[in-house]
Amino acid sequence: MIREPITGSRAWTRRTIRESDWRIPLPSSCLDEIERLAGVLERDPVPTCLLDPSDYELDACRSLLDDVHRRLDEGPGVAVVDRIPIEELSGRPRIEAVFWLLGAMVGRPVVQTLDGRILLEVTDTGVKKRIGVRGFRTNVAQPPHVDNSFNDAPPDYVSLLCLNAAREGGASRFVSFCAVHNVLLAEHPRLLERLYRPFYQDRQGDFWPDESQTVFLPVFELRPDLRCRYTHFTIPAGYETAGVDMDAETRAAFDTMTRVVQDPDLCCEFTLRPGELQFVNNRWCGHGRTAYVDDPQRRRLMLRLWHRDGGLRRYRG
Ligand SMILES: [Fe+2]
């Protein structure tokens, strides 16, 4: 357990983070490369999941994505590239290809579902959030969390490309779990100790019939840096499906964590616009969104990749 306040750029709060820490305008040299790339892909298409950035002339984009990578590991853990000219890429296959190639320069894309899907749409499919339904298919509010907290090998980075924004709401919200850890250490040190011990988490439908529906994992781990496995939904769902009541300390630790991750003094919020590309460090930076209402003619739509360089590309890592 870390028993001293975490300092440095990872432990940002709303007061210390500046927009220039996370927003990166797309340089014109990258824009030129992307336009040339779109032409090459149109004449010589390759299935998206076989695209390799080293096969294309992307030097300017590579240095941009190196900057993104630095901000994810050594900066605030969140970065937004402003913006990809999606309206000029002549169709969804080219948009997906450009997203894949840029994302692959931050980290190797990996499978996001038990049935092997690697490039997902985050959109409201009309299903209600319940046990077994993952949040990317719904329009409900999601407090800052990490993706895939219940898996053996959650992704190290998560990227989103905004294709359509919501009519109302759907703002992105971020928190540094290092800053959350600092608040808990100062104000609730005994509950912080509890967060280093395991909690049940529901696997959200991503398990085989011969496997347990729940896992039992700590919210905070040192691996070797701070890594967080917090989600607002899968932990209470885990206790429910395991048929175990939270004891008073477990309940207090979970409720306190849930309150602190949404503290407006800690969170950074912005609304992604079409063409903007958002990256987050999924180990120690939480991402969420406010609830949203769609324009029925043009639903909020994001493309999502998960990235992890270690282990295998399969869902279990
Ligand atoms: Fe998420």
Side-chain angles (χ1 to χ4, degrees), residues 255-272:
D255 286 351
T256 302
M257 179 84 183
T258 299
R259 180 172 51 76
V260 174
V261 301
Q262 298 180 81
D263 182 343
D265 288 341
L266 297 187
C267 290
C268 161
E269 187 173 309
F270 54 85
T271 300
L272 275 186

mmCIF file of all heavy atoms in Angstrom, residues 255-272:
data_model
loop_
_atom_site.group_PDB
_atom_site.id
_atom_site.type_symbol
_atom_site.label_atom_id
_atom_site.label_comp_id
_atom_site.label_asym_id
_atom_site.label_seq_id
_atom_site.Cartn_x
_atom_site.Cartn_y
_atom_site.Cartn_z
ATOM 1 N N ASP A 255 -18.728 2.941 -0.965
ATOM 2 C CA ASP A 255 -19.515 4.179 -1.070
ATOM 3 C C ASP A 255 -18.609 5.414 -1.035
ATOM 4 O O ASP A 255 -18.845 6.392 -1.760
ATOM 5 C CB ASP A 255 -20.539 4.266 0.074
ATOM 6 C CG ASP A 255 -21.712 3.302 -0.125
ATOM 7 O OD1 ASP A 255 -21.811 2.706 -1.212
ATOM 8 O OD2 ASP A 255 -22.504 3.146 0.824
ATOM 9 N N THR A 256 -17.586 5.370 -0.192
ATOM 10 C CA THR A 256 -16.678 6.519 -0.102
ATOM 11 C C THR A 256 -15.897 6.680 -1.411
ATOM 12 O O THR A 256 -15.762 7.789 -1.941
ATOM 13 C CB THR A 256 -15.718 6.341 1.093
ATOM 14 O OG1 THR A 256 -16.516 6.206 2.272
ATOM 15 C CG2 THR A 256 -14.791 7.535 1.255
ATOM 16 N N MET A 257 -15.407 5.574 -1.949
ATOM 17 C CA MET A 257 -14.699 5.619 -3.243
ATOM 18 C C MET A 257 -15.626 6.191 -4.322
ATOM 19 O O MET A 257 -15.235 7.058 -5.109
ATOM 20 C CB MET A 257 -14.274 4.184 -3.607
ATOM 21 C CG MET A 257 -13.558 4.049 -4.922
ATOM 22 S SD MET A 257 -11.804 4.404 -4.754
ATOM 23 C CE MET A 257 -11.273 4.256 -6.460
ATOM 24 N N THR A 258 -16.875 5.738 -4.350
ATOM 25 C CA THR A 258 -17.835 6.180 -5.367
ATOM 26 C C THR A 258 -18.105 7.685 -5.244
ATOM 27 O O THR A 258 -18.256 8.383 -6.253
ATOM 28 C CB THR A 258 -19.135 5.361 -5.239
ATOM 29 O OG1 THR A 258 -18.797 3.989 -5.471
ATOM 30 C CG2 THR A 258 -20.199 5.795 -6.232
ATOM 31 N N ARG A 259 -18.126 8.182 -4.001
ATOM 32 C CA ARG A 259 -18.335 9.623 -3.801
ATOM 33 C C ARG A 259 -17.090 10.403 -4.235
ATOM 34 O O ARG A 259 -17.194 11.401 -4.960
ATOM 35 C CB ARG A 259 -18.651 9.887 -2.318
ATOM 36 C CG ARG A 259 -18.899 11.345 -1.980
ATOM 37 C CD ARG A 259 -19.398 11.509 -0.547
ATOM 38 N NE ARG A 259 -18.569 10.837 0.446
ATOM 39 C CZ ARG A 259 -17.389 11.276 0.882
ATOM 40 N NH1 ARG A 259 -16.881 12.384 0.382
ATOM 41 N NH2 ARG A 259 -16.709 10.603 1.791
ATOM 42 N N VAL A 260 -15.914 9.932 -3.860
ATOM 43 C CA VAL A 260 -14.692 10.703 -4.138
ATOM 44 C C VAL A 260 -14.395 10.736 -5.641
ATOM 45 O O VAL A 260 -13.974 11.773 -6.163
ATOM 46 C CB VAL A 260 -13.494 10.143 -3.327
ATOM 47 C CG1 VAL A 260 -12.200 10.837 -3.732
ATOM 48 C CG2 VAL A 260 -13.744 10.311 -1.829
ATOM 49 N N VAL A 261 -14.635 9.636 -6.369
ATOM 50 C CA VAL A 261 -14.304 9.658 -7.810
ATOM 51 C C VAL A 261 -15.172 10.652 -8.577
ATOM 52 O O VAL A 261 -14.823 11.047 -9.687
ATOM 53 C CB VAL A 261 -14.411 8.267 -8.496
ATOM 54 C CG1 VAL A 261 -13.496 7.259 -7.846
ATOM 55 C CG2 VAL A 261 -15.827 7.762 -8.556
ATOM 56 N N GLN A 262 -16.303 11.061 -7.966
ATOM 57 C CA GLN A 262 -17.181 12.021 -8.648
ATOM 58 C C GLN A 262 -17.064 13.427 -8.068
ATOM 59 O O GLN A 262 -17.851 14.309 -8.413
ATOM 60 C CB GLN A 262 -18.633 11.553 -8.527
ATOM 61 C CG GLN A 262 -18.853 10.206 -9.188
ATOM 62 C CD GLN A 262 -20.283 9.733 -9.077
ATOM 63 O OE1 GLN A 262 -21.135 10.167 -9.847
ATOM 64 N NE2 GLN A 262 -20.554 8.867 -8.131
ATOM 65 N N ASP A 263 -16.093 13.643 -7.178
ATOM 66 C CA ASP A 263 -15.919 14.955 -6.544
ATOM 67 C C ASP A 263 -15.596 15.998 -7.624
ATOM 68 O O ASP A 263 -14.595 15.865 -8.343
ATOM 69 C CB ASP A 263 -14.760 14.847 -5.537
ATOM 70 C CG ASP A 263 -14.525 16.150 -4.787
ATOM 71 O OD1 ASP A 263 -15.014 17.206 -5.249
ATOM 72 O OD2 ASP A 263 -13.836 16.106 -3.758
ATOM 73 N N PRO A 264 -16.434 17.025 -7.774
ATOM 74 C CA PRO A 264 -16.171 18.021 -8.827
ATOM 75 C C PRO A 264 -14.811 18.709 -8.674
ATOM 76 O O PRO A 264 -14.261 19.184 -9.673
ATOM 77 C CB PRO A 264 -17.315 19.038 -8.648
ATOM 78 C CG PRO A 264 -18.335 18.359 -7.807
ATOM 79 C CD PRO A 264 -17.651 17.307 -6.998
ATOM 80 N N ASP A 265 -14.248 18.722 -7.474
ATOM 81 C CA ASP A 265 -12.924 19.327 -7.303
ATOM 82 C C ASP A 265 -11.818 18.450 -7.887
ATOM 83 O O ASP A 265 -10.683 18.898 -8.051
ATOM 84 C CB ASP A 265 -12.628 19.572 -5.811
ATOM 85 C CG ASP A 265 -13.469 20.717 -5.264
ATOM 86 O OD1 ASP A 265 -13.971 21.520 -6.081
ATOM 87 O OD2 ASP A 265 -13.620 20.785 -4.031
ATOM 88 N N LEU A 266 -12.134 17.188 -8.160
ATOM 89 C CA LEU A 266 -11.116 16.283 -8.713
ATOM 90 C C LEU A 266 -11.296 16.065 -10.214
ATOM 91 O O LEU A 266 -10.339 15.738 -10.912
ATOM 92 C CB LEU A 266 -11.173 14.919 -8.007
ATOM 93 C CG LEU A 266 -10.857 14.887 -6.517
ATOM 94 C CD1 LEU A 266 -10.788 13.431 -6.034
ATOM 95 C CD2 LEU A 266 -9.540 15.590 -6.193
ATOM 96 N N CYS A 267 -12.523 16.202 -10.709
ATOM 97 C CA CYS A 267 -12.818 15.774 -12.091
ATOM 98 C C CYS A 267 -12.558 16.853 -13.133
ATOM 99 O O CYS A 267 -12.708 18.039 -12.876
ATOM 100 C CB CYS A 267 -14.284 15.358 -12.200
ATOM 101 S SG CYS A 267 -14.648 13.836 -11.345
ATOM 102 N N CYS A 268 -12.177 16.395 -14.294
ATOM 103 C CA CYS A 268 -12.020 17.243 -15.479
ATOM 104 C C CYS A 268 -13.115 16.806 -16.459
ATOM 105 O O CYS A 268 -13.340 15.611 -16.630
ATOM 106 C CB CYS A 268 -10.633 16.983 -16.040
ATOM 107 S SG CYS A 268 -10.354 17.466 -17.728
ATOM 108 N N GLU A 269 -13.819 17.758 -17.074
ATOM 109 C CA GLU A 269 -14.961 17.390 -17.924
ATOM 110 C C GLU A 269 -14.910 18.155 -19.245
ATOM 111 O O GLU A 269 -14.571 19.330 -19.263
ATOM 112 C CB GLU A 269 -16.262 17.713 -17.168
ATOM 113 C CG GLU A 269 -17.505 17.222 -17.873
ATOM 114 C CD GLU A 269 -18.770 17.409 -17.027
ATOM 115 O OE1 GLU A 269 -18.776 16.981 -15.853
ATOM 116 O OE2 GLU A 269 -19.734 17.987 -17.550
ATOM 117 N N PHE A 270 -15.234 17.481 -20.309
ATOM 118 C CA PHE A 270 -15.370 18.146 -21.606
ATOM 119 C C PHE A 270 -16.243 17.271 -22.494
ATOM 120 O O PHE A 270 -16.447 16.093 -22.191
ATOM 121 C CB PHE A 270 -14.010 18.395 -22.275
ATOM 122 C CG PHE A 270 -13.169 17.161 -22.412
ATOM 123 C CD1 PHE A 270 -13.316 16.309 -23.486
ATOM 124 C CD2 PHE A 270 -12.218 16.857 -21.445
ATOM 125 C CE1 PHE A 270 -12.549 15.167 -23.599
ATOM 126 C CE2 PHE A 270 -11.443 15.703 -21.555
ATOM 127 C CZ PHE A 270 -11.605 14.866 -22.633
ATOM 128 N N THR A 271 -16.767 17.858 -23.549
ATOM 129 C CA THR A 271 -17.615 17.096 -24.474
ATOM 130 C C THR A 271 -16.862 16.876 -25.778
ATOM 131 O O THR A 271 -16.413 17.836 -26.403
ATOM 132 C CB THR A 271 -18.936 17.844 -24.743
ATOM 133 O OG1 THR A 271 -19.600 18.004 -23.479
ATOM 134 C CG2 THR A 271 -19.840 17.057 -25.675
ATOM 135 N N LEU A 272 -16.716 15.613 -26.143
ATOM 136 C CA LEU A 272 -16.022 15.284 -27.389
ATOM 137 C C LEU A 272 -16.877 15.691 -28.574
ATOM 138 O O LEU A 272 -18.088 15.449 -28.586
ATOM 139 C CB LEU A 272 -15.797 13.780 -27.488
ATOM 140 C CG LEU A 272 -14.585 13.156 -26.820
ATOM 141 C CD1 LEU A 272 -14.523 11.690 -27.208
ATOM 142 C CD2 LEU A 272 -13.297 13.868 -27.177
#
